[in-house]
Amino acid sequence: MILSELIDFETLRVIWWVLVGLLLIGFALTDGFDMGVGALLPFVAGTDVERRVAINTVGPVWEGNQVWFILGGGAIFAAWPPLYAVSFSGFYLAMFVILAALIVRPVAFKYRSKREDPVWRERWDWALFAGGAVPATLFGVAVGNVLLGVPFHLTPDLMARYDGSFLGKFIGLLRPFALLCGVVSISMLLMHGAAWLSVKAEGPVKDRARAIGVKAGLIAAGGYALAGLWLAMGVEGFAFAGEVVTDGPSNPLLSEVVRGGSWLDAYGARPWIMVAPIMGFAGMALAILGLKAGREVSTLLFSKLGILGVISSVGLTMFPFILPSTVDPNSSLTVWDASSSHLTLFIMLVCTAIFLPLILMYTAWVYRVLWGKVTEDDVTGNSETLY
């Protein structure tokens, strides 16, 4: 028996849908507070020393946290090639802006403290702000557009074609519902960054972060609720019109998909997925209360719970759709028709089973070694401080 036959094609597709989701959630839970701290930097720190305190809370870990983003992108490329091709083609300019911001961020970390010139440092501080706020917002806008559907269609030879000009495709992403999702995303990560600063910082930086984090959490929770109402009342969903082949070839054009109804119909068909939005609202509410009360570790954990619930709710609501098409619903990409081959998914799963635990153990060890607060004395009296 071939080893790959131990797990059927349908199960492997679901496993990789779950794994890609977990990798992207891992990125949001870890690098999310890095981006949140960067976006908070101009507002929580009034002096150069305070800004250095904030920066040094994430300085030692931000590079490791980006591993989850790289793993997520690589997993999409290998496990879901059509999704990678179609999404990066349609979101090309948005992806370019995100990558530019993520490239500026490490440069700012490395060069900010090379000179003591206040103007020099202020410019790099705003670069850190952009490196946090821009990706945090555009990731949410991208999720909003996935829920709305994207204007592409597949040719008979499965080449993706988008309507509109190059610039028009980017402007077309800035739809009201997508912008609302962007607000939810940036405010949620601001709350997460504030929760991280409440654990790692002291004094005025911590106090300002808590105050801003409470407001950001309220905006995130309110925006998330509004997005749910919008989905229920103003956004059409997608559904299969006929029998679904879950272990067939990866060719979206072989399925018949129609628009209609609501994405939230999924909660009637699979009531158990209600656990995701419950986690989202509960996690954000408890994080807000924790920030107000001055609690530290529990607040960070509740913030992570809220992010987990919010992101999970999108994937579970849309399942099995991954990237629906508004131009030709039959071109929509789903879990059942946009994956790599059975053998490819199995080999990737074996590699993941070996290396992912090693990454998790190393990450846990790094956080244990670097645990503790960053104080003003640390950044002014320690010549080995990098940032």
Side-chain angles (χ1 to χ4, degrees):
M1 175 185 292
I2 300 175
L3 288 177
S4 62
E5 294 179 357
L6 294 174
I7 307 178
D8 62 75
F9 201 9
E10 176 185 355
T11 303
L12 277 172
R13 282 170 159 166
V14 174
I15 288 173
W16 272 104
W17 173 79
V18 172
L19 283 175
V20 169
L22 289 177
L23 290 174
L24 297 179
I25 290 172
F27 171 64
L29 296 182
T30 54
D31 205 38
F33 63 70
D34 296 336
M35 291 187 287
V37 170
L40 286 169
L41 186 60
F43 312 105
V44 299
T47 66
D48 181 66
V49 172
E50 290 176 355
R51 287 190 286 272
R52 290 185 66 195
V53 167
I55 293 170
N56 276 277
T57 64
V58 298
V61 297
W62 69 269
E63 288 179 289
N65 291 339
Q66 285 201 143
V67 167
W68 300 105
F69 182 58
I70 297 169
L71 289 174
I76 292 174
F77 173 79
W80 308 99
L83 173 63
Y84 186 91
V86 174
S87 60
F88 274 67
S89 296
F91 299 163
Y92 182 83
L93 190 53
M95 292 290 186
F96 180 84
V97 173
I98 290 173
L99 289 176
L102 293 177
I103 290 169
V104 167
R105 184 172 64 161
V107 177
F109 274 121
K110 299 301 182 183
Y111 281 89
R112 182 201 182 273
S113 295
K114 295 295 185 183
R115 294 172 58 184
E116 296 185 1
D117 181 7
V119 175
W120 168 272
R121 292 188 171 186
E122 183 179 6
R123 289 172 179 170
W124 288 119
D125 290 340
W126 282 106
L128 287 172
F129 167 79
V134 171
T137 303
L138 289 182
F139 282 134
V141 172
V143 171
N145 276 282
V146 170
L147 284 163
L148 291 170
V150 181
F152 74 93
H153 68 276
L154 299 176
T155 64
D157 56 357
L158 300 183
M159 294 292 291
R161 295 288 184 265
Y162 276 83
D163 292 347
S165 63
F166 178 75
L167 182 60
K169 287 187 288 187
F170 176 74
I171 296 175
L173 300 177
L174 306 179
R175 293 177 279 182
F177 177 78
L179 292 175
L180 173 62
C181 292
V183 171
V184 173
S185 178
I186 180 62
S187 56
M188 185 169 62
L189 295 188
L190 285 174
M191 177 190 69
H192 198 39
W196 175 255
L197 287 174
S198 73
V199 173
K200 294 289 290 182
E202 290 184 341
V205 173
K206 176 181 178 178
D207 295 338
R208 295 186 193 112
R210 286 174 50 204
I212 297 173
V214 169
K215 297 175 183 177
L218 291 172
I219 294 173
Y224 183 51
L226 179 58
L229 291 174
W230 201 324
L231 282 177
M233 301 175 63
V235 177
E236 280 189 315
F238 291 75
F240 285 105
E243 183 179 354
V244 181
V245 179
T246 59
D247 58 354
S250 292
N251 185 345
L253 298 179
L254 298 179
S255 303
E256 185 178 355
V257 175
V258 295
R259 296 196 68 176
S262 168
W263 283 122
L264 301 188
D265 293 341
Y267 291 88
R270 306 188 299 274
W272 63 270
I273 67 175
M274 183 61 71
V275 67
I278 290 174
M279 285 195 303
F281 282 116
M284 288 188 286
L286 291 170
I288 292 168
L289 293 175
L291 287 167
K292 293 183 69 174
R295 291 187 287 270
E296 298 182 355
V297 176
S298 62
T299 299
L300 181 62
L301 294 177
F302 286 134
S303 178
K304 291 180 182 293
L305 177 66
I307 293 173
L308 171 63
V310 170
I311 298 177
S312 298
S313 66
V314 177
L316 291 171
T317 298
M318 292 185 62
F319 183 86
F321 288 88
I322 305 176
L323 189 65
S325 168
T326 57
V327 175
D328 177 21
N330 289 337
S331 296
S332 299
L333 306 183
T334 75
V335 172
W336 312 128
D337 54 29
S339 73
S340 292
S341 68
H342 188 178
L343 181 60
T344 299
L345 295 183
F346 181 78
I347 293 174
M348 288 175 59
L349 183 61
V350 172
C351 294
T352 301
I354 296 171
F355 292 107
L356 187 58
L358 296 177
I359 295 173
L360 290 171
M361 287 188 290
Y362 176 75
T363 300
W365 177 78
V366 167
Y367 275 91
R368 180 182 178 184
V369 170
L370 297 174
W371 195 252
K373 290 186 178 291
V374 178
T375 66
E376 293 188 4
D377 290 339
D378 291 330
V379 300
T380 57
N382 185 357
S383 59
E384 296 183 358
T385 301
L386 296 177
Y387 308 105

